[in-house]
């Protein structure tokens, strides 16, 4: 866990004023990390010291032997809000191959704090060289929002634990040859995540217009998603709309560091609603000024090897941002937001060679899915 050396006096101050996470029982050869950094666990590892106060993401992958070399299993993690000089204890759970927050025994935290100097050689220093990057990716995530979003189990898993909720058409037909892909799927049991293990993201609307809307209103709300965005904000963030950006950041971290693909899907859907809400851009200008900053830092962290391929599927980002940039050109948009959007557009064009000047897909006819039972004459 070596990094750039800190000045001795600064290191001493950080040691006594920073938080510490004591991690017990992690098998040697596993991978353990905090925020944007991770390391292979050695025989002396007992945790991390000198952690700055704030929200942090701790993650672990179990070490496994395979093919003559050590491999790691799926990543699990949890968000923690840490205070100055606080000591938290995590213990390895062999059954789930994850670290879990352990309720401290009476006086345990105080005893660990007093004996921290004796444990110093077993604790790795927090990687301050990546702190700026971590802060830029989590700037809106408060401890309160973190508690709302984190699963009830406290664990964020790369692969969700699922249980069957209904039997498929198995039995005598199981050995029969499937005549179609759909038939094969129908034979499988329907699965749902185990209760308490889901990330508690805001439920995003699947119907973008109000009940009883006229055909004209359905078309308008399907092109400008401001009605859907208002529904999202009113669910959880009516008093503080900026907290919606915390959810966008939370989803991004869960995917980028926690390897949770469902979080990436939520990030895409939420970003799509935000970027295609023209009326809301004029109403929530502070939200959108900050959205540009959030996206700037997120897109700066796209790994060149795989994330670009995933995010470019169906040209999702370019088409979504193209609509957003066209909306920010409106006269109803504040000049500060308009100028920031123009600079962001120029930055993306230069960095990724994305073309935002081509005719957007939104100029094509819009096919609207009507709710069951609704008819248009």
């Amino acid at each position: 866990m070596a990094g750039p050396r800190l000045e001795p006096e600064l290191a001493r101050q950080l040691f006594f004023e920073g938080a510490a996470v004591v991690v017990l029982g992690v098998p040697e050869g596993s991978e353990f990390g905090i925020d944007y950094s991770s390391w292979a666990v050695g025989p002396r590892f007992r945790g991390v010291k000198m952690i700055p106060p704030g929200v942090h993401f701790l993650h672990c992958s179990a070490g496994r032997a395979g093919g003559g070399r050590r491999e790691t299993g799926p990543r699990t993690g949890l968000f923690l809000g840490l205070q100055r000089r606080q000591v938290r204890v995590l213990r390895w759970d062999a059954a789930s191959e994850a670290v879990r927050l352990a309720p401290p025994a009476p006086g345990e935290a105080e005893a660990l704090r007093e004996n921290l100097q004796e444990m110093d050689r077993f604790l790795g220093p927090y990687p301050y060289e990546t702190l700026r990057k971590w802060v830029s990716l989590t700037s809106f995530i408060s401890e309160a929002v973190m508690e709302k979003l984190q699963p009830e189990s406290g664990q964020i898993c790369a692969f969700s634990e699922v249980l069957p909720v209904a039997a498929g058409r198995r039995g005598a037909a199981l050995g029969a040859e499937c005549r179609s892909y759909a038939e094969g799927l129908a034979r499988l049991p329907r699965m749902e995540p185990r209760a308490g293990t889901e990330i508690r993201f805001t439920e995003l609307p699947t119907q973008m217009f109000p009940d009883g809307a006229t055909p004209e209103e359905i078309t308008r709300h399907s092109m400008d998603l401001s009605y859907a965005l208002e529904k999202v904000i009113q669910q959880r963030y009516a008093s503080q709309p900026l907290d919606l950006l915390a959810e966008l950041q939370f989803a991004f971290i869960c995917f980028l560091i926690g390897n949770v693909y469902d979080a990436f899907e939520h990030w895409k859907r939420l970003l799509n609603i935000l970027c295609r809400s023209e009326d809301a851009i004029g109403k929530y200008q502070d939200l959108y000024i900050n959205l540009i900053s959030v996206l700037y830092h997120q897109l700066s962290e796209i790994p060149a090897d795989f994330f670009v391929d995933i995010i470019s599927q169906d040209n999702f980002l370019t088409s979504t941002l193209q609509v957003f940039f066209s909306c920010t050109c409106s006269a109803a948009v504040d000049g500060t937001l308009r100028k920031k959007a123009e600079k962001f557009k120029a930055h993306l064009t230069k960095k990724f060679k994305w073309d935002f000047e081509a005719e957007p897909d939104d100029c094509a006819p819009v096919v609207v899915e009507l709710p069951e039972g609704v008819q248009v004459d």
Side-chain angles (χ1 to χ4, degrees):
M1 297 179 66
R5 292 184 63 85
L6 297 170
E7 292 293 328
E9 184 56 36
L10 176 59
R12 183 176 180 279
Q13 180 181 353
L14 291 172
F15 177 81
F16 286 107
E17 296 300 318
V21 174
V22 176
V23 186
L24 303 175
V26 179
E28 188 175 348
S30 298
E31 181 185 84
F32 182 85
I34 182 171
D35 300 343
Y36 217 78
S37 300
S38 60
W39 314 268
V41 171
R44 294 164 48 126
F45 175 77
R46 296 291 183 277
V48 184
K49 61 186 177 182
M50 301 160 58
I51 306 172
V55 171
H56 297 278
F57 184 60
L58 293 100
H59 42 94
C60 190
S61 301
R64 295 174 178 172
R69 59 189 177 87
R70 296 292 291 182
E71 298 179 346
T72 56
R75 179 168 287 183
T76 61
L78 70 160
F79 282 87
L80 274 183
L82 295 173
Q83 308 299 320
R84 172 177 165 269
R85 298 181 59 113
Q86 188 175 21
V87 177
R88 303 295 293 271
V89 180
L90 298 177
R91 287 188 172 86
W92 177 255
D93 179 5
S96 61
E97 293 191 332
V99 288
R100 297 188 179 276
L101 193 60
E108 181 181 38
E110 293 78 5
L112 286 170
R113 167 57 64 183
E114 291 175 5
N115 294 325
L116 209 53
Q117 282 184 287
E118 295 178 18
M119 294 186 64
D120 181 57
R121 64 187 184 277
F122 302 111
L123 302 176
Y126 181 85
Y128 275 83
E129 65 273 16
T130 60
L131 178 61
R132 184 186 295 273
K133 187 180 296 186
W134 173 251
V135 170
S136 71
L137 291 174
T138 58
S139 54
F140 288 94
I141 304 178
S142 65
E143 192 166 344
V145 174
M146 176 201 80
E147 293 291 349
K148 286 182 182 178
L149 295 172
Q150 184 141 275
E152 292 177 4
S153 66
Q155 293 289 318
I156 291 172
C157 304
F159 296 102
S160 299
E161 185 178 358
V162 293
L163 297 172
V165 294
R169 297 198 301 270
R170 306 178 75 85
L174 186 60
E177 183 178 346
C178 293
R179 288 170 294 184
S180 68
Y181 178 70
E183 182 181 338
L185 288 179
R187 293 186 188 180
L188 298 174
R190 189 163 59 89
M191 310 294 282
E192 285 187 355
R194 181 187 287 275
T197 64
E198 291 180 282
I199 301 173
R200 292 176 288 179
F201 290 131
T202 302
E203 185 176 350
L204 302 183
T206 54
Q207 178 178 301
M208 302 302 178
F209 46 86
D211 292 335
T214 65
E216 181 184 359
E217 290 169 336
I218 290 173
T219 300
R220 176 164 55 84
H221 288 306
S222 297
M223 296 182 69
D224 180 349
L225 304 185
S226 297
Y227 170 78
L229 179 60
E230 286 287 359
K231 287 188 69 175
V232 173
I233 290 174
Q234 293 306 316
Q235 275 189 68
R236 258 184 176 167
Y237 305 118
S239 61
Q240 182 52 275
L242 283 176
D243 282 348
L244 188 60
L245 299 180
E247 183 164 335
L248 195 71
Q249 290 183 325
F250 193 96
F252 189 81
I253 291 294
C254 287
F255 172 68
L256 184 70
I257 302 178
N259 300 337
V260 181
Y261 187 75
D262 285 349
F264 172 63
E265 288 299 313
H266 184 79
W267 179 84
K268 283 205 309 183
R269 291 183 61 211
L270 183 54
L271 183 61
N272 182 64
I273 292 175
L274 281 163
C275 288
R276 296 176 184 271
S277 298
E278 184 171 3
D279 286 349
I281 290 174
K283 179 179 178 181
Y284 297 105
Q285 304 211 41
D286 190 37
L287 172 70
Y288 281 93
I289 286 173
N290 284 285
L291 171 64
I292 293 174
S293 297
V294 167
L295 288 176
Y296 173 83
H297 292 295
Q298 289 182 342
L299 300 188
S300 296
E301 299 309 317
I302 295 176
D305 52 355
F306 69 97
F307 198 38
V308 168
D309 293 335
I310 292 174
I311 212 163
S312 298
Q313 287 177 7
D314 302 322
N315 210 22
F316 162 74
L317 258 184
T318 50
S319 60
T320 302
L321 290 174
Q322 189 174 37
V323 174
F324 174 64
F325 291 137
S326 68
C327 292
T328 56
C329 292
S330 167
V333 172
D334 177 76
T336 302
L337 173 56
R338 189 162 55 247
K339 288 178 182 177
K340 189 164 186 174
E342 289 170 357
K343 288 180 65 176
F344 185 47
K345 178 181 174 182
H347 165 75
L348 294 177
T349 301
K350 182 178 180 181
K351 180 170 182 175
F352 296 109
K353 306 297 187 291
W354 288 341
D355 181 12
F356 295 108
E357 303 306 326
E359 182 177 284
D361 294 339
D362 298 71
C363 291
V366 177
V367 178
V368 178
E369 294 290 339
L370 297 179
E372 188 175 346
V374 174
Q375 295 183 344
V376 178
D377 297 326

